[in-house]
Amino acid sequence: MEQISTIVAIATPPGAGGIGIVRLSGPDSPAIAKSLSGKRFTPRHAHFISIHDNESRIIDQGIGLYFKAPHSFTGEDVVEIQGHGSPVALQMIVDRCLELGAQLARPGEFSERAFLNDKLDLSQAEAIADLIESSTESAARAAIRSLTGEFSQKVQVLIDKLIALRVFVEASIDFPEEEIDFLAENDVAGRTRKVLEEFLQMKKLVRRGTLLRDATRIVLVGPPNAGKSSLLNALCRENRAIVSDIPGTTRDTLEHPIQINGYPVVLTDTAGLRENADIIEREGIKRARLALAAADLALVCIDDAASDEAQINQIIADEVPDGLGYCVVLNKADLAGKKVSRDGNRVSISAKSGEGVDLLCAWISDIVGYSGHGQGQILARQRHLDALKRAESHLQRGYDGFMDTGAGELLAEDLHLAAQALGEISGKMSADDLLGEIFGSFCIGK
Ligand SMILES: Nc1nc2c(ncn2[C@@H]2O[C@H](COP(=O)(O)OP(=O)(O)OP(=O)(O)O)[C@@H](O)[C@H]2O)c(=O)[nH]1
Ligand SMILES: [Mg+2]
């Protein structure tokens, strides 16, 4: 059997702080703690300790804690040394632990061990990383829900339904004559359809969950002087970009993160698009188009007092990449003598006064799927959505085949594959390389 190593890392963020924590996990943790401090740690007791180097000189003083296996984060013997938050002293403690036989932890190795010891499933481990990195309150709340297992439970319910359906389908293959009523074909089809509907709901939830994690990139484009920079300022509620009545004011692209309904968004202001620009502006326009190519959504900003329908259509045809969602922001409603309003993907506003900006935010929320209350919202990753989609396509294929041929065998196999794909979310059926990929993206000490 492979010997389990004892790992060590600084668990607190880099830099100086009031307290810094060195974390050890593995069978040698208590012995290393004893060598460091000269004390034998009692589980779940706070010990005041002096930490010594190999020549018995004091490196630091602090608190030592011992969490005996399996009652620890990783499920192994864990020791935490809370020293003063001096990066140098913390590194000396780590070095001393290495001398005493510990190994430096890889990024995410503590969480990986927690997963391998069944302390967390995969989506919970990911939720820890997401909680630490969350940029909005909604994301943090959703991460906590995923962390406490709400997401895993929902996935498990679906897996259980797939398994129950498979048992039912296989029974109908094995006993086609005996219980013909109970195992009527319609029943199999009806039940499969029901599960497919539940996949739809789950997909919505998970898609919203991925949006919470990854900011939506919204790019503001349009002719010079249309009011793009004014709109950026209105959306961020601060004077971020230079505004002037000279066309061609903005050259560089300018990014600013904001929240809409608690969801993270990154806005990008760009140079006004026009022919006959000077060399610097041309570079700006090139950058605007690059930003647009990487955007999730475009706000096409138009001066409503100075443009006609043909010009609006022209700029959309010329500049908005195929398939990219966009909103025509008819700006300067005050000058055009119009009321602020929202009609389809056209929103009439006045960026200068801020009137109508709420209508635009509502449009963005609706399009991107931010609307609806955050209750029950979980945090999810693209990986989860991919697994869900794969599971759904197995189920759909099985259903279509069953409707065509009435053959339960293929449906049963597809149900099995669907459950397996879903199992990747919690990691109960994941390949090793997938695990390495996921935990490798964590930071050290986690
Ligand atoms: N009356 C009125 N003026 C506006 C409105 N929005 C912007 N402006 C004015 O229009 C002018 C251009 O605004 P900017 O925000 O700099 O326009 P821009 O699209 O960023 O321009 P470039 O950076 O040159 O491409 C400024 O004088 C703004 O004060 C509005 O809603 N109403
Ligand atoms: Mg500008």
Side-chain angles (χ1 to χ4, degrees):
M1 242 184 75
E2 203 184 329
Q3 183 79 33
I4 294 165
S5 60
T6 296
I7 50 171
V8 65
I10 300 172
T12 36
I19 294 175
I21 299 177
V22 172
R23 180 148 71 167
L24 285 152
S25 179
D28 297 336
S29 303
I32 293 174
K34 171 124 196 313
S35 306
L36 278 178
S37 65
K39 282 190 182 164
R40 188 176 295 281
F41 286 15
T42 313
R44 292 164 181 268
H45 277 256
H47 298 273
F48 179 66
I49 51 169
S50 295
I51 304 141
H52 297 91
D53 67 11
N54 59 352
E55 291 170 27
S56 300
R57 293 173 301 197
I58 293 184
I59 304 172
D60 198 359
Q61 286 189 319
I63 303 293
L65 299 166
Y66 172 30
F67 304 94
K68 194 170 165 50
H71 305 293
S72 71
F73 173 70
T74 58
E76 302 172 338
D77 278 341
V78 167
V79 166
E80 281 184 18
I81 309 282
Q82 306 186 351
H84 296 99
S86 145
V88 178
L90 288 173
Q91 192 53 51
M92 286 164 79
I93 298 172
V94 169
D95 289 345
R96 183 69 190 127
C97 292
L98 296 177
E99 282 172 12
L100 292 166
Q103 288 179 10
L104 207 55
R106 283 180 283 107
E109 197 171 358
F110 288 94
S111 304
E112 185 178 16
R113 289 185 175 204
F115 167 73
L116 293 173
N117 291 322
D118 275 337
K119 285 279 166 178
L120 296 168
D121 72 23
L122 210 45
S123 64
Q124 288 174 307
E126 287 167 322
I128 294 179
D130 290 338
L131 177 62
I132 293 170
E133 284 159 19
S134 53
S135 57
T136 68
E137 190 184 322
S138 315
R141 286 187 194 285
I144 277 289
R145 274 190 214 104
S146 293
L147 178 55
T148 54
E150 259 188 60
F151 181 32
S152 312
Q153 278 158 20
K154 287 193 162 89
V155 173
Q156 194 54 50
V157 167
L158 261 188
I159 292 178
D160 291 345
K161 285 193 176 156
L162 289 171
I163 293 173
L165 185 57
R166 185 170 157 217
V167 169
F168 184 74
V169 171
E170 288 192 347
S172 72
I173 300 167
D174 291 344
F175 311 101
E177 306 298 329
E178 281 87 338
E179 296 181 52
I180 198 78
D181 281 346
F182 169 59
L183 298 171
E185 236 177 51
N186 270 346
D187 232 349
V188 170
R191 280 187 174 208
T192 311
R193 266 200 304 275
K194 241 188 173 155
V195 179
L196 272 169
E197 272 163 31
E198 292 189 30
F199 265 84
L200 218 62
Q201 295 302 321
M202 188 70 172
K203 239 174 31 185
K204 267 192 199 156
L205 182 78
V206 171
R207 187 170 287 132
R208 273 209 306 270
T210 61
L211 291 173
L212 261 178
R213 188 169 176 269
D214 308 319
T216 303
R217 307 189 65 82
I218 301 184
V219 174
L220 283 65
V221 288
N225 239 6
K228 299 177 295 299
S229 302
S230 306
L231 178 56
L232 178 99
N233 290 345
L235 285 166
C236 354
R237 296 198 182 87
E238 65 178 273
N239 211 353
R240 183 77 172 77
I242 300 173
V243 166
S244 87
D245 57 5
I246 303 166
T249 302
T250 306
R251 275 39 187 332
D252 278 322
T253 51
L254 190 141
E255 292 193 352
H256 193 80
I258 61 163
Q259 291 181 31
I260 294 182
N261 275 355
Y263 282 78
V265 168
V266 176
L267 293 174
T268 306
D269 184 19
T270 62
L273 303 166
R274 65 168 161 184
E275 308 294 323
N276 309 324
D278 68 32
I279 180 163
I280 303 171
E281 216 183 327
R282 278 211 302 276
E283 176 61 26
I285 292 170
K286 198 170 124 198
R287 290 176 186 211
R289 291 188 174 127
L290 278 176
L292 207 50
D296 297 314
L297 210 58
L299 300 182
V300 182
C301 190
I302 304 286
D303 179 345
D304 200 16
S307 333
D308 58 29
E309 198 57 33
Q311 284 168 310
I312 297 174
N313 291 333
Q314 191 65 50
I315 188 159
I316 292 167
D318 289 349
E319 304 294 349
V320 179
D322 278 349
L324 181 65
Y326 67 89
C327 178
V328 180
V329 180
L330 300 160
N331 189 31
K332 308 196 188 183
D334 53 316
L335 287 187
K338 290 188 186 158
K339 278 213 171 79
V340 301
S341 62
R342 175 182 165 189
D343 181 16
N345 72 338
R346 292 194 167 208
V347 182
S348 182
I349 70 163
S350 179
K352 197 171 177 178
S353 69
E355 253 187 300
V357 170
D358 53 336
L359 297 177
L360 180 60
C361 287
W363 180 87
I364 295 170
S365 294
D366 288 348
I367 289 299
V368 192
Y370 294 166
S371 39
H373 45 87
Q375 246 170 29
Q377 182 60 52
I378 48 92
L379 201 67
R381 296 179 170 215
Q382 195 57 43
R383 181 183 83 76
H384 303 147
L385 195 57
D386 292 344
L388 196 61
K389 282 183 182 164
R390 252 181 302 123
E392 189 190 27
S393 72
H394 284 305
L395 185 60
Q396 188 69 51
R397 188 180 66 180
Y399 175 76
D400 293 344
F402 182 76
M403 296 309 278
D404 271 358
T405 63
E409 287 84 350
L410 293 177
L411 175 57
E413 176 58 14
D414 275 320
L415 286 167
H416 169 66
L417 292 173
Q420 211 166 31
L422 277 189
E424 284 180 17
I425 294 177
S426 62
K428 296 207 171 90
M429 306 182 204
S430 297
D432 284 349
D433 50 350
L434 177 70
L435 298 183
E437 199 175 298
I438 289 166
F439 288 110
S441 68
F442 285 26
C443 59
I444 294 176
K446 202 154 64 193

